[in-house]
Amino acid sequence: MTAAYQRLGNSTELNGLLFKYKLAKILTFLSLSAVVIMALASIVFPDNVYEIFEKVAKANDDENGIGNSGGIKTATVCKLPTRLDIPGTQDARYTPPSPDVSLLKILQQVPTDEYQQYCQHWDPVYGFDDDIPYNVNGECGNWQKRYEDLHSQRMEQLERLKAGDFESFAHDDKPRYISYFCKKVPENSNRGCGGLADRMSGMISTFFFALLTQRAYLANWAPENPIPLEYLFEQPFVNWTHKPSELKLIFDVPDNELLGFQYVDTLNQNYDSIGKSVFPDGPSQDFEKLWNGTYVEVHSNRGYIVRTFDQSTRYTEQLQKMGLTKENAFGCLTDFLFRPSVDARRFLNMYRYLFSMKSVLSIGIQIRTNDNALANPELDHNNLEQWYYYIKCANELATAKRQSYHTRTIFFLITDSHKLREEFESMNNDEDLRRKYLGPGSEYTSLLVTGLPIEHVEPDQVAKYIEVEHPRLTSWERMVPGVNSALMENWLLSYTDYRVISPQGYGKLAAFHSKRDKTTVSIPRSPRRAKAMNCANPDVMDAYDFSWLSHQWSLG
Ligand SMILES: *[C@@H]1O[C@H](CO)[C@@H](O)[C@H](O)[C@H]1NC(C)=O
Ligand SMILES: *[C@@H]1O[C@H](CO)[C@@H](O)[C@H](O)[C@H]1NC(C)=O
C-alpha cells in the first residue's frame, strides 16, 4: 500500500497539484469577488450585468484553462457555466475530468424551474454539491445505528484481544468478526476475485451475513489488485479497514475459546454449489452454525442475498423487522459501507440531479462489446448499426413508460467502445442519424454520455487471450482513473429510471443497486433473439428473483 501511495507523491507531480490547488483558490476568490461586484452592479446597471460578468469569467478562463466560464450564482439568479469543472478538493484521492458536453446541452433543454433547482447544486468553488443522501426517510430500514454500535464494540474488543487481555471478557458476549478478502490476482486460467461486479457481490453478501450474525464486518482488496479499496471508497458509517495478515496471526491459534480462524472460499461457485455452501441444512439453515470461527475470512465473488429472501425460513421475520427487503437490501447495504470519494460524488450528482427531474425519463443503456475494442482501439469497428437492437429496445421502453409529465427522454450510454460512444453522442447534432435510429421519439430524445476514460479493470486478464498491438503499462496513474470511471458509470446506471443492459455482472450490479425491481431489461446474448424482443412488453423486465439476475454469473 505504501509503495502505491508513494508513486503518486513524487515531487514534480505534487508541486503540480499544489500549484493547481493554489490557482483554484485564487480563481475562486476572483469569482466570488466577481459575484459580489455583479450583485452591486446589478443595482446600478441591471442590463449589463451578465455581459460584464461573462467577460470577467472568460478572461479568467482564457488565462488559466479552468474556472467558472460564465456561470452566475446569487440569491436571485443562477446560470450554469459553459463548462462544469471539478477543480479538485484538497486531499481528494481522485478528481474526475469535466463531464461530457452532452450534459450541458441537455440542461439547456429542461424546464426553467427544474434548471434553476439544478443550478442551486452547482458550486462555483468546488464544482458541484457532493451530498448523496442516505436513508433520510427510513427507506433503508432501522438497523444502521444498532450495527454501528455493534461495530465499535467489536473493535474495542479486538483491541483487548490483541493485547492478550482475555480475563476482561468474563461478562462480554463472544466477539466475532467476518472479513471479505480479495487477494487473488488473476493468473493463468484462474480469474482471481473478478471485476467490480463480482467483488461487490461477494463483499455485500458477506456484510449481509455479518448483520444476521452479530459479527463485525471488515473488507480488504490486496493493494495492487488493482488499487486499495480505501482509495476507491470512503467509509461513511463504519471503518472496515484492517490488516488481513495481522488478524490472521492473532486469531489462528488453537485451544483458546475466544480465538479461532476460519477460511471460507466460495470463489466462482455456481448456483447449485453456493446452495450447498450457504444452506447445507436447507431453508432452516442457521448462519451461526454455518461459519462459526471467531474470525472468518471470506474469499468470494458470489451473492446470496436475494436467495436468502427467497429460500430461508429462519430469517424472514428478522429481516422484515430490520426494514430490509429483497428489493432494497443490496443497495442499502452497499451505500452504508461504501461511498465514492468526494470529487467522484460531485461528478455523480451532476448526472443524478438531471435523472431525478420530474420532466425527465431516463433510460440507461449498457453495451458491452468485446475486450478487443479496448485492447486495440485501432481495431474498434463498433457502430450503431451493429448494436442497434439495444437502441431499439430503449425506444420501445421509452414509448411504453413515458408519462404526460415527461417532456424529455434521455438515453444514457455506457460502453467499452470509444467508437460506439462517439457515434451515439453525435446523434445530438445530427438530425438524420437521430431520426434513423430513434424513430418517432427523436425530437424529444437526448443522448448522454460521461466522457470518462474507458479501461478494463483487469487489463492483464484481457492480455491473456487477446493480442494487444500496443501494450500499455498497467500503472497506478492509469488504474486510478480507470477503476473510478468503472465505478462512477455503474453508480450512474443505477440512478436511471430504467436500464437496458448486457447480460453480465456489470449491468446486474447496477440493477441490484437501483433498489427498484423490474426496471431492468437484459438483452439476450444472441442478436437474433435480441432483435425479436419487444421491450414495450412489461414481461421483459427482469425480476430480482426469477431471472438470470440472481441465478447466473455472480448470482444474487
Ligand atoms: C480506519 O481504521 C484504520 C486502522 O484501524 C485507520 O488507520 C484509519 O485511519 C481509519 N480510517 C478512518 C477514516 O477513520
Ligand atoms: C463449529 O462447527 C463445527 C461443525 O459443526 C463444530 O464441530 C465446532 O465445534 C463448532 N465450533 C464452535 C467454536 O462452535
Side-chain angles (χ1 to χ4, degrees):
M1 188 153 13
T2 7
Y5 285 109
Q6 274 162 2
R7 252 183 284 167
L8 188 76
N10 82 46
S11 63
T12 30
E13 208 171 323
L14 204 60
N15 285 338
L17 280 175
L18 265 175
F19 174 70
K20 275 193 202 154
Y21 173 68
K22 282 184 187 154
L23 195 64
K25 264 192 9 195
I26 294 168
L27 279 176
T28 303
F29 175 75
L30 280 177
S31 313
L32 284 177
S33 321
V35 169
V36 172
I37 293 167
M38 193 195 61
L40 291 175
S42 68
I43 301 166
V44 191
F45 331 98
D47 295 336
N48 297 331
V49 174
Y50 281 91
E51 208 185 315
I52 293 168
F53 186 80
E54 273 170 29
K55 275 190 190 142
V56 172
K58 191 156 184 320
N60 281 346
D61 293 345
D62 289 349
E63 269 170 46
N64 304 304
I66 51 170
N68 295 331
S69 319
I72 300 170
K73 192 172 177 184
T74 68
T76 50
V77 54
C78 195
K79 179 170 171 281
L80 292 171
T82 52
R83 254 176 54 184
L84 282 170
D85 288 319
I86 302 174
T89 309
Q90 201 183 8
D91 298 332
R93 304 218 142 163
Y94 164 73
T95 299
S98 307
D100 186 79
V101 290
S102 52
L103 177 68
L104 276 168
K105 267 185 218 159
I106 296 174
L107 286 164
Q108 302 304 324
Q109 299 164 331
V110 300
T112 316
D113 56 332
E114 288 186 316
Y115 175 92
Q116 284 299 318
Q117 282 164 22
Y118 180 97
C119 191
Q120 289 307 318
H121 296 285
W122 169 55
D123 181 334
V125 180
Y126 292 109
F128 217 79
D129 180 354
D130 70 63
D131 185 34
I132 298 184
Y134 179 77
N135 205 26
V136 177
N137 301 309
E139 61 276 9
C140 279
N142 51 40
W143 48 272
Q144 288 80 358
K145 177 74 176 62
R146 242 179 349 239
Y147 179 75
E148 280 175 64
D149 292 346
L150 176 87
H151 192 91
S152 50
Q153 184 203 348
R154 295 286 186 240
M155 290 300 114
E156 182 273 324
Q157 290 172 318
L158 183 58
E159 290 308 311
R160 281 189 275 147
L161 290 177
K162 279 186 193 171
D165 173 13
F166 303 118
E167 288 75 35
S168 67
F169 282 87
H171 302 290
D172 287 30
D173 71 334
K174 189 175 160 187
R176 285 160 306 153
Y177 307 86
I178 191 163
S179 72
Y180 170 87
F181 193 12
C182 172
K183 178 183 180 186
K184 277 195 191 139
V185 176
E187 53 185 34
N188 305 324
S189 61
N190 155 22
R191 291 211 57 237
C193 38
L196 183 67
D198 285 331
R199 296 179 191 195
M200 294 304 295
S201 297
M203 291 205 289
I204 305 305
S205 292
T206 303
F207 179 48
F208 182 71
F209 185 93
L211 272 181
L212 292 175
T213 54
Q214 320 301 316
R215 286 171 182 268
Y217 171 86
L218 303 163
N220 186 285
W221 289 4
E224 305 287 329
N225 191 14
I227 62 173
L229 197 52
E230 285 82 358
Y231 219 91
L232 189 59
F233 288 115
E234 288 177 10
Q235 314 178 327
F237 299 103
V238 292
N239 186 343
W240 32 257
T241 293
H242 69 294
K243 290 203 185 82
S245 53
E246 183 198 36
L247 287 201
K248 183 166 187 294
L249 212 61
I250 294 168
F251 284 98
D252 199 3
V253 293
D255 306 327
N256 184 324
E257 277 277 291
L258 285 168
L259 302 175
F261 173 81
Q262 186 172 6
Y263 175 87
V264 170
D265 185 339
T266 61
L267 283 170
N268 306 322
Q269 292 191 353
N270 65 17
Y271 189 79
D272 289 340
S273 336
I274 277 283
K276 294 192 186 99
S277 299
V278 181
F279 294 97
D281 295 344
S284 66
Q285 179 65 48
D286 182 352
F287 286 166
E288 301 277 1
K289 298 204 173 108
L290 181 65
W291 301 325
N292 61 6
T294 309
Y295 174 56
V296 180
E297 184 183 279
V298 178
H299 298 237
S300 169
N301 50 7
R302 294 294 181 257
Y304 50 87
I305 296 176
V306 173
R307 188 177 194 138
T308 302
F309 280 100
D310 280 349
Q311 298 180 0
S312 168
T313 50
R314 180 176 289 269
Y315 294 107
T316 316
E317 204 185 320
Q318 186 180 347
L319 286 165
Q320 197 194 351
K321 281 194 183 140
M322 291 162 84
L324 285 174
T325 65
K326 196 188 312 189
E327 194 163 19
N328 74 10
F330 186 90
C332 287
L333 268 51
T334 301
D335 295 338
F336 178 77
L337 292 175
F338 303 113
R339 185 166 69 179
S341 61
V342 58
D343 286 341
R345 294 202 302 279
R346 300 187 197 283
F347 189 97
L348 293 180
N349 275 341
M350 290 177 180
Y351 287 77
R352 193 173 68 85
Y353 282 112
L354 174 65
F355 295 152
S356 69
M357 288 181 187
K358 184 152 194 265
S359 67
V360 163
L361 172 66
S362 57
I363 298 182
I365 304 172
Q366 182 241 340
I367 308 179
R368 176 100 163 84
T369 61
N370 53 59
D371 290 336
N372 201 22
L374 260 185
N376 297 305
E378 62 281 10
L379 301 179
D380 181 356
H381 301 303
N382 290 291
N383 58 41
L384 285 173
E385 196 64 46
Q386 183 187 351
W387 297 100
Y388 173 63
Y389 48 94
Y390 279 80
I391 313 281
K392 170 182 167 284
C393 176
N395 285 336
E396 289 161 353
L397 201 54
T399 310
K401 300 297 178 188
R402 190 179 295 118
Q403 304 292 322
S404 56
Y405 48 80
H406 288 138
T407 53
R408 185 139 297 273
T409 302
I410 293 176
F411 286 175
F412 170 61
L413 177 71
I414 290 172
T415 180
D416 47 10
S417 160
H418 284 103
K419 269 292 279 302
L420 183 61
R421 187 163 82 175
E422 273 163 35
E423 196 186 2
F424 176 86
E425 205 273 321
S426 77
M427 282 195 281
N428 275 324
N429 300 321
D430 186 334
E431 212 171 299
D432 292 339
L433 204 61
R434 208 161 63 223
R435 230 178 274 138
K436 176 173 174 194
Y437 290 114
L438 305 182
S442 70
E443 289 148 61
Y444 36 85
T445 302
S446 299
L447 297 314
L448 180 65
V449 300
T450 63
L452 289 169
I454 300 175
E455 296 278 2
H456 201 288
V457 174
E458 303 172 292
D460 300 339
Q461 188 68 20
V462 175
K464 268 184 253 154
Y465 56 89
I466 290 178
E467 180 117 13
V468 182
E469 302 208 343
H470 302 287
R472 291 195 292 156
L473 226 55
T474 311
S475 65
W476 179 257
E477 288 73 14
R478 186 176 148 207
M479 288 325 289
V480 170
V483 179
N484 271 284
S485 300
L487 174 81
M488 287 190 288
E489 291 202 326
N490 200 286
W491 259 230
L492 289 175
L493 191 58
S494 79
Y495 297 147
T496 54
D497 294 326
Y498 297 93
R499 280 155 296 284
V500 176
I501 64 169
S502 295
Q504 273 129 335
Y506 188 84
K508 166 163 93 176
L509 171 58
F512 283 141
H513 192 193
S514 76
K515 303 192 286 245
R516 275 167 297 136
D517 203 357
K518 299 186 188 145
T519 54
T520 304
V521 183
S522 34
I523 296 289
R525 212 170 282 270
S526 135
R528 192 183 48 80
R529 279 184 52 216
K531 285 170 191 165
M533 191 164 162
N534 175 11
C535 295
N537 178 351
D539 295 342
V540 304
M541 292 289 176
D542 280 319
Y544 283 178
D545 45 8
F546 286 116
S547 67
W548 73 275
L549 282 181
S550 56
H551 285 69
Q552 286 174 34
W553 283 83
S554 40
L555 312 176

